Amino acid sequence: MRLIGKQKLQKLFFDDMACVWVQAWVAEVLSANWRQAADVCVQFPGVRQSSSNEFIFSVRNCDREIHLQIAFQQGIAVVTDLQ
């Protein structure tokens, strides 16, 4: 997958444990070859799906969440929000 909006994730680098998790998450997203929503849910069982192409990932060791919108056919994932 191509990941757009990685610069938004810099806000999560305040904590070493969260930083390690985010770096691993980015590496997994970049190497992913998701074709449908079920593929995301298999790779990340704890993900919450808010719509057919929008997902919420809870950042481990942190009370933040990464909101990701995925265009499956184009192979693009976009970080839309951090909460």
Side-chain angles (χ1 to χ4, degrees):
M1 299 297 289
R2 190 168 142 217
L3 182 60
I4 298 173
K6 285 187 284 190
Q7 70 279 5
K8 293 179 183 178
L9 302 175
Q10 302 259 343
K11 295 177 184 177
L12 299 173
F13 291 169
F14 63 89
D15 176 84
D16 288 341
M17 301 268 307
C19 181
V20 169
W21 185 91
V22 170
Q23 290 173 336
W25 179 84
V26 167
E28 284 196 53
V29 171
L30 291 173
S31 67
N33 190 22
W34 300 321
R35 297 290 180 211
Q36 58 188 349
D39 297 338
V40 180
C41 297
V42 166
Q43 187 168 354
F44 292 96
V47 72
R48 292 189 328 261
Q49 189 173 355
S50 61
S51 73
S52 62
N53 63 344
E54 294 182 23
F55 300 86
I56 301 170
F57 297 83
S58 294
V59 178
R60 188 170 302 191
N61 303 315
C62 180
D63 63 345
R64 305 292 298 265
E65 296 176 329
I66 300 170
H67 293 244
L68 193 70
Q69 186 170 10
I70 303 173
F72 292 102
Q73 290 183 336
Q74 293 80 12
I76 299 172
V78 180
V79 176
T80 58
D81 197 12
L82 289 178
Q83 292 187 359

